[in-house]
């Protein structure tokens, strides 16, 4: 079985560096996709209230041969539930849908600078409650920029364990990554394949040919060697297995540099400074 490295978060908890993403997986396809991933050796599943598939993720884990403690589960707060009471209710809903009494990691999905009076601090304090209660083993944020992380740092008690942001070879996010390294916040790279956008790139294709790996495997390996956490999404069984098969080769320092140099600050998803989550 593939051996996936763990990363130790700033609160001492560990997270498998590689997992399975479930954005845009229809609820009716989720059971099969997550089961295929667990069978292939994935032990970390990333979902969210807004993906509408938490119940099916929970069911796939429950029906597997694995104990709850063997699978790292992340979910995220709905953009429509940032007020503290709504957030408490939404968190209850997440636990109920997943059929579990704790999540390994719970995130504020988006900072939403144009809603809730721009007050993500009250939302973060509510996540701190879930952490103190032990119902979220770690808490973190998603799509936060350094100025927003700095505000949390100054005004709240707990430093986010992770910042989950869009990262791929066309969007290397050097500024956020530097801030997070300095403050011991792990980076989770969402859309690690740029939703497929980067896979035709000639530089990536040529490294794939030389190493005998696929473009997707080369890109995922680049993330792993940079130290980020990744969870590519696929519903195709062969691709689910292909994506985890990246722990038997290494990219050279020159390969890493060449891929990093492809950056063009190109987003595939929302811009966190503008996105209102609707
Ligand atoms: P991704 O970069 O993982 O790309 C997925 C797409 O790439 C698939 O739909 C498929 O078209 C293609 N693909 C996958 N494996 C392939 C392979 N081996 N060969 C060729 N093509 C392949 O994109 P994503 O799903 O957007 O991101 C991954 C996960 O990150 C999500 O599922 C979700 O869990 C998380 N995410 C979080 C946020 C956030 O705001 N926090 C936003 C987007 C995604």
């Amino acid at each position: 079985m593939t051996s996936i490295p763990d990363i130790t978060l700033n609160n001492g908890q560990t997270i498998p560096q590689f997992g399975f993403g479930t954005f845009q997986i229809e609820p009716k396809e989720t059971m099969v996709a997550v089961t295929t991933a667990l069978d292939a050796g994935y032990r970390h599943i990333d979902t969210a209230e807004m993906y509408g598939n938490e119940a099916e993720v929970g069911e796939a884990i429950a029906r597997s041969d694995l104990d709850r403690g063997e699978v790292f589960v992340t979910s995220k707060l709905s953009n429509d539930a940032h007020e503290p009471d709504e957030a408490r209710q939404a968190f209850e809903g997440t636990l109920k849908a997943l059929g579990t009494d704790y999540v390994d990691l719970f995130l504020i999905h988006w900072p939403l600078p144009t809603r809730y009076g721009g007050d993500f601090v009250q939302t973060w304090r509510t996540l701190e409650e879930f952490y103190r209660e032990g119902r979220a083993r770690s808490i973190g944020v998603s799509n936060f920029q350094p100025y927003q992380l700095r505000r949390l740092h100054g005004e709240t008690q707990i430093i986010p364990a992770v910042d989950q942001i869009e990262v791929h070879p066309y969007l290397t996010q050097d500024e956020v990554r530097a801030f997070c390294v300095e403050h011991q916040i792990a980076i989770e790279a969402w859309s690690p394949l740029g939703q497929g956008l980067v896979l035709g790139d000639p530089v990536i294709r040529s490294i794939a040919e030389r190493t005998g790996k696929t473009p997707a495997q080369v890109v995922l390996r680049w993330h792993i060697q940079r130290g980020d956490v990744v969870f590519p999404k696929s519903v195709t069984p062969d691709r689910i297995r292909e994506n985890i098969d990246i722990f038997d080769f290494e990219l050279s320092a020159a390969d890493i540099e060449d891929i990093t140099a492809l950056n063009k600050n190109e987003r595939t998803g929302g811009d966190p400074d503008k996105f209102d989550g609707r």
Side-chain angles (χ1 to χ4, degrees):
M1 185 70 70
T2 306
S3 164
I4 297 170
D6 277 337
I7 286 191
T8 302
L9 300 172
N10 61 18
N11 61 358
Q13 299 279 340
T14 57
I15 180 171
Q17 197 187 355
F18 182 90
F20 187 66
T22 62
F23 177 45
Q24 292 172 332
I25 303 189
E26 292 294 324
K28 64 178 177 349
E29 288 183 308
T30 303
M31 259 286 292
V32 171
V34 173
T35 301
T36 306
L38 294 174
D39 287 348
Y42 291 65
R43 292 292 180 268
H44 166 183
I45 313 290
D46 184 86
T47 183
E49 194 274 344
M50 291 190 295
Y51 301 168
N53 56 22
E54 286 171 314
E56 291 75 14
V57 167
E59 200 179 339
I61 296 169
R63 286 206 201 169
S64 74
D65 293 339
L66 299 163
D67 292 336
R68 168 69 187 86
E70 292 178 89
V71 186
F72 189 102
V73 180
T74 299
S75 196
K76 317 185 190 86
L77 181 67
S78 164
N79 290 336
D80 293 328
H82 274 217
E83 298 284 358
D85 274 343
E86 294 166 351
R88 289 181 193 111
Q89 241 179 350
F91 185 63
E92 292 286 347
T94 282
L95 294 181
K96 194 163 177 236
L98 284 165
T100 180
D101 53 7
Y102 74 94
V103 284
D104 295 279
L105 178 62
F106 195 65
L107 309 180
I108 299 182
H109 206 148
W110 287 88
L112 306 178
T114 61
R115 291 173 68 186
Y116 306 101
D119 186 5
F120 50 78
V121 173
Q122 59 165 350
T123 313
W124 180 252
R125 291 204 179 106
T126 313
L127 265 66
E128 289 182 331
E129 289 173 17
F130 308 153
Y131 179 70
R132 291 200 182 93
E133 292 160 359
R135 295 191 299 159
R137 299 260 165 106
S138 298
I139 50 173
V141 294
S142 179
N143 300 301
F144 273 49
Q145 306 276 48
Y147 67 92
Q148 293 157 331
L149 293 170
R150 227 171 262 126
R151 207 176 142 198
L152 289 184
H153 204 252
E155 298 179 36
T156 69
Q157 307 265 309
I158 299 171
I159 299 172
V162 310
D163 190 6
Q164 183 178 127
I165 54 173
E166 181 178 352
V167 187
H168 46 72
Y170 291 170
L171 182 70
T172 53
Q173 295 268 28
D174 301 337
E175 201 197 328
V176 191
R177 291 179 91 251
F179 183 94
C180 287
V181 168
E182 191 187 332
H183 292 87
Q184 295 180 298
I185 299 169
I187 292 280
E188 297 192 323
W190 65 251
S191 292
L193 304 172
Q195 296 212 329
L197 174 77
V198 302
L199 301 180
D201 188 279
V203 170
I204 292 166
R205 293 192 81 88
S206 110
I207 296 172
E209 270 165 41
R210 179 162 41 77
T211 54
K213 288 286 183 175
T214 67
Q217 289 171 325
V218 167
V219 172
L220 294 169
R221 186 70 212 176
W222 171 81
H223 286 285
I224 293 288
Q225 287 184 224
R226 274 160 51 101
D228 292 352
V229 177
V230 276
F231 24 80
K233 169 254 170 183
S234 177
V235 290
T236 310
D238 283 347
R239 285 180 173 174
I240 292 173
R241 289 187 282 270
E242 171 188 330
N243 291 345
I244 196 176
D245 184 18
I246 56 169
F247 297 99
D248 62 348
F249 80 116
E250 278 208 25
L251 297 172
S252 67
D255 290 339
I256 300 280
E257 265 177 44
D258 289 348
I259 298 173
T260 306
L262 297 173
N263 179 42
K264 40 188 164 177
N265 296 325
E266 185 175 337
R267 290 184 186 279
T268 63
D271 178 343
D273 283 332
K274 301 189 187 124
F275 187 65
D276 70 3
R278 293 193 169 108

